[in-house]
Amino acid sequence: MVTKSGKFRYKIYLDEVQGVLADSIWTDIPIVNSQSEERLDYATQKPEALLERIIKASSDEDMTVVDFFGGSGVTAAVAHRLGRHFIHADVGINSIQTARDRLAKEKADFAILDVQDGLRLFRNPVQTMDKIASIIPGFTSNDQLNIAFWKGAVTDSRYGLIPIYLPDLQNDTDRVLTRDKANRIIREALPDLPRSVKRVRLYYIDLEESVETFQKFADKANEDTLIDIELCDLKPVLDQIVLEDQVEWEIIPPTDVSLLYTVRIKNFFSNRVAQTVDSYNQKAALNTRGNKLFTPIMLSEEGLEAIEYLSLDCSTSEKDAPWHSDDEVKIDKLGRISINGVKKDEFWDGTIQSEQKPLRLKVRNICGDETVFSLRS
């Protein structure tokens, strides 16, 4: 050992140490291979033994373990097993679905919460920009306004005409409302407004500082005018925008051969999936070098390969009612299926079945977007 003065007091040799010395490289924990019982066919899945060692070493029972990149849910499942509370977070719908099934199997008590962050608006910026106007109450275009700054306006009973600034979702630099941008609006755009304008509304996705600090800055920079500046978070508005996929289906009632209702998917089209595939093909083609041939990804005419999950609700046909999943089909990347959480060694045939008459259908595409369809005839 070493004393405070830096001198050795005595020595301990490795063969005298009890137990196993800790190392920064753990080679005693096997990976999750194709033969492992815990394998979920999730690309980033970690061994449960690995998380068990980490959680035991860094927490006690009744503490909360958080994994912000939760993946297959192994952290949450192991934390529950070890008597810890857990928070599983992930941006991927597939992760949430996989973790949900895993935690349900562990009989864990949990709730699924949706963080309204407006993230999916960036998946379809062109279509989203077209729909924003229909989401903001009272939004209209106005010829009196400088379109370089103001996308339109709303009319308020107290303030009258309120010009609206919206960030351009197709421009990454517009994501953050900066002081420079606000200054430009204040110096160049406010003086050109009609004298009757008493308030403007600046929508933002992100600010470079807290809302309170930015509001104080904007008010001080704008003290030469009598126009109020209202800052509004655009994300809650954008989360209301739904760019629905298109599904053509048929319902086959029970027969003497099959006592189940069968919903057969005839055609499926997702604009986002099509855009993603097209974008990938373009980039891959540009990166192809020499005599190497590039084979683009092609979607079939029916488009069923773009579906990764289906669920039937046999309880209600109301569009906005809470979802009750009576039957589920999950399709892996090879086309094999799991029915209600049970893996089957068979490929998806384009159908989902239920004992009761299905009233609603939920479909999730391979990009993670979910759309609910009413099956009422």
Side-chain angles (χ1 to χ4, degrees), residues 123-251:
R123 297 172 177 170
N124 292 283
V126 177
Q127 293 87 339
T128 303
M129 287 299 296
D130 291 339
K131 289 199 173 188
I132 288 179
S134 64
I135 299 298
I136 298 177
F139 184 93
T140 60
S141 59
N142 193 298
D143 295 337
Q144 303 178 63
L145 303 178
N146 183 342
I147 60 173
F149 291 99
W150 312 109
K151 300 300 182 183
V154 297
T155 301
D156 182 82
S157 59
R158 179 181 177 184
Y159 293 100
L161 186 72
I162 301 179
I164 300 293
Y165 165 80
L166 290 172
D168 183 359
L169 305 184
Q170 302 174 69
N171 185 350
D172 290 339
T173 60
D174 255 15
R175 179 185 178 114
V176 180
L177 180 58
T178 64
R179 289 193 173 199
D180 287 343
K181 182 70 174 182
N183 255 325
R184 187 180 171 205
I185 294 173
I186 292 169
R187 302 304 178 201
E188 299 181 31
L190 294 192
D192 290 338
L193 291 173
R195 292 184 178 181
S196 58
V197 172
K198 302 175 183 177
R199 167 171 289 201
V200 297
R201 186 178 299 170
L202 308 185
Y203 278 98
Y204 63 88
I205 299 168
D206 289 309
L207 293 172
E208 63 179 357
E209 52 199 329
S210 70
V211 177
E212 294 77 13
T213 302
F214 200 91
Q215 185 71 64
K216 289 179 181 178
F217 153 74
D219 293 340
K220 183 174 179 58
N222 187 42
E223 59 187 6
D224 292 338
T225 77
L226 299 177
I227 300 176
D228 292 335
I229 295 178
E230 178 186 6
L231 297 175
C232 292
D233 192 346
L234 186 61
K235 292 187 289 294
V237 176
L238 293 162
D239 274 312
Q240 301 176 46
I241 296 177
V242 178
L243 302 174
E244 294 187 343
D245 294 339
Q246 301 172 23
V247 176
E248 182 183 355
W249 70 85
E250 67 173 343
I251 300 177

Side-chain angles (χ1 to χ4, degrees), residues 65-74 76 86-90 95-96 99 103:
V65 177
V66 184
D67 191 341
F68 290 108
F69 302 89
S72 67
V74 60
F86 59 84
I87 297 175
H88 168 98
D90 202 288
S95 166
I96 302 302
L103 292 169

Side-chain angles (χ1 to χ4, degrees), residues 215-365:
Q215 185 71 64
K216 289 179 181 178
F217 153 74
D219 293 340
K220 183 174 179 58
N222 187 42
E223 59 187 6
D224 292 338
T225 77
L226 299 177
I227 300 176
D228 292 335
I229 295 178
E230 178 186 6
L231 297 175
C232 292
D233 192 346
L234 186 61
K235 292 187 289 294
V237 176
L238 293 162
D239 274 312
Q240 301 176 46
I241 296 177
V242 178
L243 302 174
E244 294 187 343
D245 294 339
Q246 301 172 23
V247 176
E248 182 183 355
W249 70 85
E250 67 173 343
I251 300 177
I252 304 171
T255 63
D256 294 336
V257 178
S258 173
L259 301 179
L260 301 174
Y261 286 90
T262 300
V263 178
R264 185 172 74 87
I265 308 300
K266 301 169 68 175
N267 287 286
F268 177 78
F269 176 76
S270 168
N271 185 66
R272 188 196 165 204
V273 171
Q275 284 189 337
T276 302
V277 170
D278 183 60
S279 176
Y280 170 83
N281 286 337
Q282 290 185 36
K283 291 180 180 178
L286 289 173
N287 291 328
T288 301
R289 295 290 184 270
N291 296 324
K292 185 177 179 180
L293 294 177
F294 166 65
T295 303
I297 296 175
M298 302 294 292
L299 295 173
S300 68
E301 187 175 344
E302 293 78 14
L304 302 193
E305 68 272 26
I307 298 174
E308 70 172 13
Y309 168 82
L310 304 99
S311 175
L312 291 177
D313 185 345
C314 303
S315 302
T316 179
S317 60
E318 295 298 324
K319 180 180 180 181
D320 298 323
W323 185 263
H324 180 271
S325 184
D326 290 286
D327 291 278
E328 298 179 344
V329 172
K330 187 183 293 184
I331 306 140
D332 69 17
K333 60 184 178 182
L334 298 177
R336 290 188 173 86
I337 61 173
S338 296
I339 299 179
N340 297 328
V342 179
K343 289 186 178 180
K344 304 288 184 180
D345 190 21
E346 55 190 76
F347 294 100
W348 185 47
D349 62 358
T351 68
I352 179 172
Q353 296 181 311
S354 62
E355 293 183 354
Q356 299 175 292
K357 183 177 181 180
L359 301 176
R360 291 193 295 173
L361 168 69
K362 179 187 288 186
V363 180
R364 184 172 74 223
N365 65 40

Side-chain angles (χ1 to χ4, degrees), residues 51-65:
L51 271 300
E52 181 175 339
R53 181 178 295 178
I54 294 172
I55 292 171
K56 281 183 175 180
S58 57
S59 67
D60 296 321
E61 288 191 14
D62 289 327
M63 284 186 171
T64 300
V65 177

Side-chain angles (χ1 to χ4, degrees), residues 48 73-74 76-82 86 99-110:
E48 293 182 0
V74 60
V78 174
H80 166 72
R81 202 177 302 153
L82 296 176
F86 59 84
R100 182 206 65 178
D101 295 345
R102 188 173 202 158
L103 292 169
K105 188 176 181 180
E106 293 279 343
K107 301 187 183 305
D109 184 17
F110 65 95

